[in-house]
């Protein structure tokens, strides 16, 4: 077994000189929060892409991501993909077994997005500056640590109508106002994990903290948004069969607190509080008034995971059940009347990885399935006003190949994702959408060594989105929410595709230090052959990102 | 190598070996410094006989040192002091990521945490809790100012002072702006990034320190040969950059330069209000004459400190037209410290400094008022005035230039023999403070007040350079004895005597106006290695401020004739101006008595300790504004012609037909306040759990403050009485008593991973109890007497108050609530993370109110407690030297 592990590690190192790895962002975990603000602020990319051990992963939440699923960064020269209790099962107790060598990656990035093909509550455009670091290392033979920190400064210009950071979350309660002023957002994400083992027993703790603070730029209707999200995972693990198989159990806790305020200092604004598909609470905030909305959510989950190696094949599997309780309110009082959302989630994932062709290739296949079901209640209603049942299933495969002695290498990835959303209100209109979306993605990158220490990579990725199912014609939504909810439904019902071009370069300054450059530009367009609704936006949406990083081994 | 809190120090040999002698038995902290490495502080326990061997491992980054202390050291002692103190070392300062000194002081037990940044005024009141702020009519600046003014701040051995700060519009001012006048200095001026060490003496300070009632905060800035580091800090509101660099010039000389610039947006997205700070220091240290005991015989330490602090609230024409405020404080201080060690073990130290500040405050506001008779007369007498009124933009500028000249000469001698060491110290201080600013200026046609009762006049401009200077001097002597008794157990006695003289004139040659004799003693004894007991008692005093010694004249404009015709040409206003001087020649220095007992239980070589202190601080003669009744005469005149349409104003017929009296209250600074604060402070630091690299700390302070006033209160009835000539008397009440109680607990978990240079601190500040209360009689028989229209106080015995003749006085006392006001208990979490970066760098992250807890809205029986919103940010420090290497 030890021999196998060493061989695998060597295979990884050999591959990483050329192709390094990275992949499957969020495929073994719930998808990252890729919605309006988050989409530009913390979209996975850079050093942290490819790892899903975050203790900050949402519990009981499946945000409705825009169909722009290609990773934001080229994968060439990124860190090797890892599977195991910790890396894919989120159990920090596995860390002490699964980190053999240290690695530090420090990066900085700039990026942006622009274009009219977007949902009603997405920002008109964005510009992002960020810095990120990820590191892990063993400490002695029984302990290992891992950490990740990311800072982002985002300017949403034009901004978004949504006053909340994630307007397309599972929860149906969302607030918007009628101004789309530019918005600045600072965001930080810290995560750390500590794993310790004695003999066959391991314990681990990972904690994380995600915070955002934003405010409108100069405007007559200032808006502030603030969010804090701590999370923690406590895990235990036990090795069997001489360490060839490890089983782990973990408990996870995460809390969300978000405060948004709208101040109509000079101009009036129309505040719309969406309650799913029902008539929203909509009112004009006259000059000199303030609107306040507070959201607090707490999620708990428990999970089991297993990992092992069998005949040179690494495998990992995990399952997790979770509960989420969220409340939103607008009154400054000790016990304000609150709108609530309760969701239950079940998720399972599995991954396989194997070195092939005398370690010239590394193949990784993973699958994930998650189901969420939630009920929403309004403060003034006794009964459930909205129900949602959402499922995703993803299967992804990645191949990294480099022939010994050849200056050429390649990376290929294919993903197939099914997204089922059944959302509907239980009030008088009874509006309901059942959308079955399908995403197909294929990405290819070709790497060439130009000089003994310099390599470059170019790539292309194509993603298609199509949906079927039933939904009301968006023009039949209540008038007050037609542009917001109907627009979103029409957007999701419209087939679309994205094309991406990537470029990356790697300079190995020393045996331990490398510098990496990554660039990507992609473009999302609606598929003209699909069904077009009246409210579907026109145009395209373009996104780009440039990142540089230093890799210290 | 040095033993903290002593003069014991030595240089290691070429192999890094060292030997320290004459160290008293008991717990100590060994400090090891080496250029290019982080300073190490190691707790050691010195036995009463024999030697102790200690290996010290240095690391490039302090974060890689095991057992690093990144919080305040509760068992440490301020240098040369034996009273209860909290020591905040450089590593704690770096880890805490505070923006200013005020942020660092949150590590002291009982100090509430605040969001980091330059938001608003930042003052510190040691060992004090808030009291009710209602019914403040007799307190002047209030108890918070009293306590913060009584907290001495010493920067690099020389005190800072706020005594000559006159940046206030006075008790009649209707416009306000943020000002530290009357209280302690604004701590925003001192960037935490430039501070090397803070000693917070909460107990009885040595006789060396004066001008205090609460305690002393000794701040040492970074100086000497220090490696260049550059730090940038950013959060959603504050951006800060600092650089510090020190270079050795020759064998014994060093020059240091440090700068800091910071900016805080006070309401981003909402308003353009911001605070800005530029601060820095140039330091030169010159050593000559060879080394004695690890230090040069002659040491000259020259410092040039400067700062500028701006708080700007620009006009927002679309929201608040005409309203704007701006404060710009700047200062320059040059100080020189000379230390000469003679062969006989005598050390002579001369410290001198000149500190000049420039304070510019302005406030603009749109004012609106009805037509009022007005005079701009500056002297006593009657004048024909005019009518002013309508809407106008008022602007007031308050420009002060406070100066402080300070000199201290001190001689000390240390002698030792086996089992005993004695340190004697004696010194003298001279200080002179004045303000040379243009003062309180405004266009008298557009005064910043609109309330005019026909008695209290409009304010008048006042030049500050006409205010006499304040001269004080002091003599002090103290001794510190270490002796082994009862089998070599260490006894430490520090006792001293200090005389603070407040001179009657503006120079030190003038006679003493008031002298305070201040004996002080601290005793500590360690009966075992695991126990140290301490006690201290002493008297201190506070120098009155320039504003208290020289209050602004009170202008009373009595309206004799108020003839307001429709035709402006026919109007007539005749006013008599009285200029009253509220100066109190009897004003003296407030005195405080501090008492405390404490116990410390160190847990041994693995670190950790339990400390407990019980204390009582009493202030007598605290300065407030005493309401002294008096009266003014108002002449009444007949008019020559009171018909309208003449196009001419009427004339007055001399002499006056009659006169009446108008009672007034003169606001006179007076030693009328007594404050008593007692409480308990405790810290518990548990030894590190090695398997988890985690340490737990708990600290707390439970304090009660009681403030009593000897003055009178008028219950809100005086204004009506003053203006109603038919009322012959009005009740008054004895001054009320206000109390405050607060328990603050800090729970702190510190996790360190030296192998990866990581330290994480999570602090929960919990306030389980906070109560304020006014103690006063409020029933209709609670009045103490009455005020006549001639301004005479007539007391009425309690037994007679129910008589029929006092029926008109039996009124409920207004403007005071006697029910206890409890603030809802709650807690808040803050976190700090520090991590080494490659090439000597460092990344720090902080989050204030990390969970973004709102707090508690008022619920039955409680007042609301609302927390400041979450604020998070990061700081990156790089060492250019390490990159070059």
């Amino acid at each position: 077994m030890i021999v196998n592990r060493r061989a695998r590690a060597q295979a990884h190192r050999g591959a990483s000189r050329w192709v390094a790895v990275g992949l499957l962002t969020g495929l073994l975990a719930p998808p990252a929060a890729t919605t309006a603000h988050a989409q530009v602020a913390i979209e996975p990319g850079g050093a942290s892409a490819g790892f899903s051990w975050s203790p900050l992963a949402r519990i009981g939440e499946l945000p409705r991501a825009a169909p722009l699923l290609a990773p934001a960064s080229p994968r060439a020269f990124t860190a090797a993909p890892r599977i195991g209790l910790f890396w894919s099962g989120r159990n920090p107790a596995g860390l002490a077994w699964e980190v053999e060598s240290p690695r530090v990656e420090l990066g900085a990035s700039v990026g942006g997005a622009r274009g009219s093909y977007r949902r009603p509550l997405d920002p008109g455009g964005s510009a992002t500056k960020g810095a990120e670091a990820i590191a892990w290392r063993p400490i002695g033979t029984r302990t290992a640590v891992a950490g990740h920190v990311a800072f982002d400064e985002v300017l949403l210009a034009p901004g978004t109508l949504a006053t909340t950071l994630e307007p397309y979350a599972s929860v149906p309660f969302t607030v918007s106002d009628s101004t789309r002023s530019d918005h600045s957002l600072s965001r930080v994400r810290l995560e750390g994990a500590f794993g310790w083992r004695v003999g066959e027993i391991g314990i681990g703790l990972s904690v994380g903290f995600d915070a955002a603070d934003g405010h409108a730029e100069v405007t007559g209707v200032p808006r502030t948004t603030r969010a804090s999200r701590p999370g923690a995972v406590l895990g235990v693990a036990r090795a069997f069969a001489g360490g060839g198989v490890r089983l782990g159990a973990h408990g996870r806790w995460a809390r969300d607190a978000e405060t948004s305020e709208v101040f109509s200092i000079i101009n009036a604004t129309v505040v719309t509080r969406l309650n799913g598909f029902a008539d929203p609470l909509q009112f004009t905030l006259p000059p000199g008034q303030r609107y306040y909305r507070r959201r607090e959510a707490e999620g708990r989950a428990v999970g089991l995971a297993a990992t092992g190696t069998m005949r040179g094949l690494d495998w990992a599997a995990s399952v997790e059940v979770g509960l989420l309780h969220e409340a939103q309110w607008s009154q400054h009082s000790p016990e304000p009347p609150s709108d609530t959302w309760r969701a239950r989630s079940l998720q399972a994932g599995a991954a396989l990885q194997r070195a092939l062709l005398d370690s010239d290739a590394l193949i990784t296949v993973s699958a994930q399935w998650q189901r969420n079901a939630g009920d929403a209640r309004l403060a003034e209603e006794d009964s459930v006003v909205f129900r949602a049942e959402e499922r995703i299933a993803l299967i992804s495969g990645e191949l990294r190949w480099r022939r010994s002695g050849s200056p050429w290498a390649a990376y290929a990835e294919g993903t197939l994702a099914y997204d089922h959303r059944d959302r509907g209100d239980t009030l008088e209109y009874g509006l309901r959408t059942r959308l079955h979306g399908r995403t197909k993605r294929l990405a290819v990158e070709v790497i060439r060594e130009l000089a003994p220490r310099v390599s470059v990579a170019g790539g292309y990725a194509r993603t298609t989105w199509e949906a079927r199912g039933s939904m009301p014609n968006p023009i039949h939504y209540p008038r007050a929410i037609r542009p917001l909810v109907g627009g979103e439904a029409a957007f999701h019902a419209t087939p679309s595709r994205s094309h991406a071009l990537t470029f990356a370069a790697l300079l190995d300054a020393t045996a331990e230090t490398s510098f990496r450059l990554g660039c990507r530009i992609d473009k999302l367009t609606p598929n003209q052959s699909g069904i077009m609704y009246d409210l579907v936006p026109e145009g395209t949406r373009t996104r780009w990102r440039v990142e540089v990083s230093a890799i210290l081994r | 190598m040095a033993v903290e809190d002593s003069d014991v120090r030595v240089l290691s040999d070429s192999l890094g070996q060292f030997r320290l002698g004459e160290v008293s038995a008991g717990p100590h902290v060994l400090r090891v410094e080496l250029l290019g490495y982080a300073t190490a502080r190691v707790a050691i326990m010195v036995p009463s006989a024999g030697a102790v061997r200690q290996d010290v491992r240095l690391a490039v980054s302090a974060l890689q040192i095991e057992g690093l202390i990144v919080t305040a050291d509760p068992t440490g002692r301020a240098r040369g002091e034996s009273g209860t103190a909290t020591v905040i070392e450089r590593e704690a300062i770096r880890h805490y990521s505070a923006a200013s000194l005020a942020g660092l002081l949150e590590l002291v037990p009982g100090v509430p945490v605040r969001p980091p940044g330059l938001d608003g005024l930042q003052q510190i009141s040691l060992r004090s809790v808030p009291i009710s702020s209602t019914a403040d009519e007799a307190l002047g600046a209030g108890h918070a100012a009293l306590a913060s003014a009584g907290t001495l701040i010493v920067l690099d051995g020389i005190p800072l002072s706020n005594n000559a700060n006159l940046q206030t519009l006075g008790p009649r001012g209707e416009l306000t702006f943020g000002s530290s006048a009357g209280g302690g200095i604004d701590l925003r001026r001192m960037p935490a990034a430039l501070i090397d060490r803070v000693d917070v003496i909460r107990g009885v300070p040595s006789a060396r320190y004066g001008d205090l009632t609460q305690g002393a905060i000794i701040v040492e800035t970074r100086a000497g040969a220090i490696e260049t580091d550059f730090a940038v800090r950013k959060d959603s509101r504050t951006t800060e950059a600092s650089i510090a660099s020190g270079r050795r010039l020759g064998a014994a000389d060093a020059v240091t330069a440090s700068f800091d610039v910071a900016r805080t947006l006070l309401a981003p997205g909402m308003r353009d209000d911001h605070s800005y700070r530029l601060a820095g220091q140039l330091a030169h240290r010159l050593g000559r004459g060879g080394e004695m005991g690890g230090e040069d015989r002659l040491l000259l330490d020259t410092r040039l400190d400067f700062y500028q602090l701006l708080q700007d609230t620009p006009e927002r024409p679309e929201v608040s037209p005409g309203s704007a405020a701006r404060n710009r404080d700047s200062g320059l201080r040059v100080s020189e410290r000379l230390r000469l060690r003679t062969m006989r073990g005598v050390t002579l130290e001369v410290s001198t400094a000149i500190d000049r500040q420039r304070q510019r405050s302005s406030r603009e506001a749109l004012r609106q008022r009805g037509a009022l008779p007005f005079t701009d007369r500056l002297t006593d007498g009657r004048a024909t005035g005019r009518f002013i009124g309508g809407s106008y933009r008022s602007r007031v500028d308050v420009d002060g230039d406070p100066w402080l000249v300070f000199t201290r000469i001190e001689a000390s001698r240390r002698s030792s023999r086996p089992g005993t060491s004695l340190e004697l110290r004696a010194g003298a201080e001279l200080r002179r403070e004045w303000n040379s600013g243009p003062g309180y200026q405004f266009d008298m046609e557009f005064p910043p007040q609109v309330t005019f009762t026909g008695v209290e006049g409009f304010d008048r401009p006042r030049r500050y350079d006409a205010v006499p200077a304040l001269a004080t001097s002091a003599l002090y002597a103290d001794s510190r004895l270490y002796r082994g008794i009862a089998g070599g157990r260490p006894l430490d006695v520090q006792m001293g005597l200090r005389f603070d003289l407040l001179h009657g004139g503006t120079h030190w040659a003038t006679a003493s106006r008031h002298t305070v004799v201040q004996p002080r003693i601290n005793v500590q004894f360690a009966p075992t290695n695991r126990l140290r007991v301490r006690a201290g008692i002493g008297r201190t005093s506070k120098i009155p401020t320039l504003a208290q010694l020289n209050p602004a004249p009170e202008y009373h404009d009595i309206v004799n004739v108020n003839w307001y015709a429709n035709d402006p040409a026919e109007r007539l206003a005749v006013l008599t101006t009285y200029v009253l001087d509220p100066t109190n020649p009897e004003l003296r220095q407030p005195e405080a008595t501090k008492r405390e007992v404490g116990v410390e239980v160190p847990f041994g070589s693995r670190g950790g300790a339990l400390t407990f202190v019980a204390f009582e601080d009493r202030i007598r003669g605290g300065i407030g504004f005493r309401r002294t009744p008096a009266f003014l005469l108002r002449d009444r005149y007949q008019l020559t012609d009171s018909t309208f349409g003449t196009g001419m104003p009427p004339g007055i017929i001399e002499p006056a037909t009659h006169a009446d009296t108008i009672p007034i209250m003169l606001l006179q600074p007076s030693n009328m306040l007594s404050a008593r604060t007692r409480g308990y402070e405790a810290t518990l630091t548990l030894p590190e759990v090695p398997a988890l690299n985690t340490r737990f700390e708990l600290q707390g302070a439970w304090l009660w403050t009681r403030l009593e006033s000897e003055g009178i209160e008028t219950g809100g009835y005086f204004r009506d009485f003053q203006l109603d000539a038919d009322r012959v008397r009005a009740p008054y009440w004895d001054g009320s008593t206000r109390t405050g109680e607060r328990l603050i607990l800090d729970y702190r978990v510190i996790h360190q991973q030296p192998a990866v240079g990581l330290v994480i601190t999570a602090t929960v500040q919990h306030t389980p109890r906070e109560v304020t209360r006014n103690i006063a009689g409020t029933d209709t028989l609670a009045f103490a007497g009455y005020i006549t229209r001639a301004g005479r106080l007539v007391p009425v015995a309690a037994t007679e108050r129910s008589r029929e003749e006092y029926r008109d006085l039996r009124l409920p006392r207004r403007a005071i609530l006697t029910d206890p006001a409890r603030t809802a208990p709650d807690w808040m979490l803050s976190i700090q993370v520090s991590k080494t970066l490659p090439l000597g760098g460092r990344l720090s992250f902080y989050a204030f109110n990390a969970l973004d807890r709102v707090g508690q809205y008022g619920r039955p029986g409680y007042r609301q407690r609302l927390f400041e919103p979450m604020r998070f940010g990061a700081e990156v420090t790089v060492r250019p030297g390490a990159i070059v290497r």
Side-chain angles (χ1 to χ4, degrees), chain A residues 433-479:
Chain A
T433 63
R434 286 196 195 91
L435 279 180
H436 304 271
R438 186 174 66 183
T439 302
K440 291 186 287 188
R441 180 170 73 223
L442 181 65
V444 176
E445 292 180 40
V446 178
I447 298 118
R448 162 126 179 122
E449 184 184 39
L450 296 181
R453 291 187 171 186
V454 179
S455 303
V456 296
Y460 169 78
R462 175 188 162 92
T463 304
T464 60
W465 160 266
E466 56 190 21
R468 61 184 174 79
S470 62
M471 57 177 276
N473 188 324
I475 63 172
H476 294 151
Y477 283 98
R479 179 178 298 275

Side-chain angles (χ1 to χ4, degrees), chain B residues 407-430:
Chain B
T407 301
R408 177 173 56 218
I409 302 172
E410 181 182 279
S412 60
R413 184 172 187 277
R414 182 188 174 94
S415 61
S416 61
R417 55 182 180 171
T420 304
S421 75
L422 177 66
E423 186 176 337
L424 298 172
R425 185 167 61 179
E429 273 181 19
L430 298 173

